[in-house]
């Protein structure tokens, strides 16, 4: 569906907010598209109500916009995200003196439903990684790369974008750590274990040199044409692995991040240490993994205790 034409003042504000997200908030291109899509939806609704400039926006406009989407069947999590986008936008507009009062200060949306993330069982991961090790032993560079990528994703809990952005010199093989540039361009150092170290070394010795070209630069993981591996390629690889595994509903790389966090906590890791490893800005985000572990404990109790 094509975007509706907006009043000039709205188009100007939309472009300005996009520049702010990129220059000051350092949001990724994907995140900026999501914010601007939400904002355009709001401004299209406001225009349909006869508004042509930002000072005309009021709390009723925002509530009407969210209400219309709720009636259309939009999920609570999407409504919560769009409400947050609206508040970020009006905060920015007030700071830029495009509006004299912030109309979204009292805006509230339904709390997003908190679903427990999908987690692979340790034995499933052992089976998956053993199969990848066997495939890598055949010598083709792509299976060697895939094994290294999955080992790193599970060992470190990296986001797929962080994995794709790794350079060779981000590795510290002696300390078995890697430097990551995460959300908001924040840098962190993440440890990894011996299996990941072995897989990375294998990739650097007999995988990467076969794919590297003059265009490869310092990228750690390469696509089949020698360029930096694309996030979509990583997702496709992991999706295929999970489908082949057969006994999991997990579908993408984020399941490896969920699994890493949950298994760390199950093994007794400190919550704040897991927060640092994952690069969460808020401890509350990390705490969802404690719910996963408690839920697993509850299921085990119900299955095993005679009076559960």
């Amino acid at each position: 569906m094509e975007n509706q034409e907006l009043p000039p003042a709205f188009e100007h504000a939309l472009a300005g907010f996009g520049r702010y997200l990129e220059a000051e908030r350092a949001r990724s291109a994907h995140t900026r598209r999501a914010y601007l899509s939400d904002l355009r939806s709001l401004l299209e609704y406001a225009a349909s109500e006869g508004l042509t400039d930002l000072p005309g926006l009021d709390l009723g406009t925002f509530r009407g916009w969210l209400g219309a989407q709720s009636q259309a069947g939009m999920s609570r999590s999407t409504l919560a995200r769009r409400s947050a986008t609206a508040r970020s936008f009006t905060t920015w507009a007030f700071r830029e003196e495009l509006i004299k009062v912030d109309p979204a200060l009292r805006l509230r949306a339904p709390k997003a439903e908190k679903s427990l993330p999908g987690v692979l069982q340790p034995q499933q991961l052992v089976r998956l990684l053993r199969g990848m090790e066997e495939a890598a032993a055949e010598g083709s560079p792509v299976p060697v790369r895939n094994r290294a990528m999955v080992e790193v994703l599970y060992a470190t809990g990296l986001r797929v974008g962080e994995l794709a952005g790794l350079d060779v010199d981000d590795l510290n093989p002696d300390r078995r750590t890697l430097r990551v540039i995460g959300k908001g361009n924040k840098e962190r150092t993440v440890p990894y274990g011996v299996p990941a170290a072995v897989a990375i070394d294998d990739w650097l010795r007999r995988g990467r040199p076969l794919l590297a070209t003059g265009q490869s630069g310092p990228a750690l993981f390469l696509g089949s044409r020698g360029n930096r591996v694309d996030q979509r390629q990583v997702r496709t690889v992991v999706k295929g692995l999970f489908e082949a595994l057969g006994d999991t509903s997990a579908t993408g790389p984020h399941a490896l991040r969920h699994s890493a966090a949950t298994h760390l906590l199950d093994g007794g890791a400190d919550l704040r240490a897991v927060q640092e490893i994952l690069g969460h800005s808020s401890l509350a985000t990390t705490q969802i993994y404690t719910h996963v572990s408690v839920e697993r404990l509850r299921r085990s109790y119900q299955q095993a205790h005679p009076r559960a």
Side-chain angles (χ1 to χ4, degrees):
M1 183 182 295
E2 293 187 5
N3 291 326
Q4 298 177 23
E5 184 175 349
L6 294 173
F10 286 175
E11 289 285 7
H12 177 75
L14 191 67
F17 188 60
R19 291 190 294 271
Y20 157 74
L21 291 174
E22 180 176 13
E24 295 188 39
R25 298 293 298 277
R27 298 301 190 194
S28 68
H30 175 76
T31 300
R32 292 199 304 274
R33 283 194 298 271
Y35 270 73
L36 295 178
S37 175
D38 290 347
L39 180 55
R40 178 171 282 277
S41 170
L42 167 64
L43 296 178
E44 286 178 352
Y45 174 83
S48 74
E49 294 290 300
L51 301 178
T52 59
D53 56 18
L54 295 187
L57 297 174
D58 59 18
L59 184 58
T61 306
F62 293 96
R63 286 175 172 168
W65 170 58
L66 293 174
Q69 292 172 87
S70 178
Q71 290 179 357
M74 194 160 287
S75 69
R76 285 196 292 172
S77 60
T78 301
L79 292 174
R81 188 199 72 211
R82 291 197 158 190
S83 178
T85 297
R87 288 193 297 272
S88 295
F89 170 67
T90 57
T91 298
W92 168 81
F94 179 75
R95 191 194 73 178
E96 295 295 310
E97 299 183 349
L98 299 177
I99 53 178
K100 293 184 178 180
V101 295
D102 185 344
L105 279 176
R106 293 188 292 119
L107 182 65
R108 295 289 180 270
K111 290 185 178 180
E113 297 176 359
K114 288 188 177 180
S115 57
L116 299 177
V119 174
L120 290 155
Q121 301 297 320
Q123 59 268 29
Q124 291 175 311
L125 281 156
V126 168
R127 212 164 75 236
L128 183 150
L129 291 167
R130 185 178 295 138
M132 299 193 78
E133 185 177 354
E134 292 171 356
E138 297 176 4
S140 175
V142 171
V144 176
R145 179 206 65 189
N146 291 349
R147 175 198 174 200
M149 291 195 307
V150 172
E151 284 280 13
V152 170
L153 284 170
Y154 176 54
T156 63
L158 293 190
R159 303 175 178 95
V160 64
E162 295 170 343
L163 178 91
L166 288 175
D167 290 337
V168 174
D169 61 2
D170 288 329
L171 297 169
N172 185 332
D174 295 332
R175 297 174 63 91
R176 290 208 304 270
T177 61
L178 51 83
R179 183 177 66 240
V180 185
I181 305 299
K183 287 187 175 182
N185 284 333
K186 293 179 180 177
E187 182 178 310
R188 69 185 190 277
T189 298
V190 182
Y192 57 88
V194 172
V198 170
I200 292 169
D201 181 67
D202 193 28
W203 160 244
L204 292 176
R205 282 189 301 103
R206 65 186 187 95
R208 191 180 186 280
L210 296 179
L211 295 181
T213 69
Q215 305 300 315
S216 299
L220 175 58
F221 293 114
L222 306 176
S224 57
R225 296 183 180 179
N227 298 318
R228 183 182 296 275
V229 73
D230 186 85
Q231 293 185 38
R232 287 172 296 181
Q233 292 175 282
V234 182
R235 291 191 179 95
T236 299
V237 167
V238 175
K239 183 173 184 285
L241 290 168
F242 288 164
E243 288 175 351
L245 198 59
D247 57 353
T248 178
S249 60
T251 58
H254 226 63
L256 293 169
R257 179 171 165 86
H258 294 325
S259 301
T262 303
H263 297 165
L264 280 167
L265 288 169
D266 283 347
D270 177 74
L271 189 63
R272 289 202 176 273
V274 176
Q275 178 191 5
E276 289 294 324
I277 290 171
L278 297 181
H280 287 156
S281 57
S282 168
L283 190 63
T285 307
T286 316
Q287 283 175 328
I288 188 173
Y289 297 106
T290 64
H291 302 323
V292 175
S293 298
V294 169
E295 177 66 15
R296 180 179 298 164
L297 180 64
R298 186 185 64 80
R299 287 199 302 268
S300 298
Y301 176 84
Q302 288 182 330
Q303 291 170 3
H305 198 288
R307 298 181 69 84

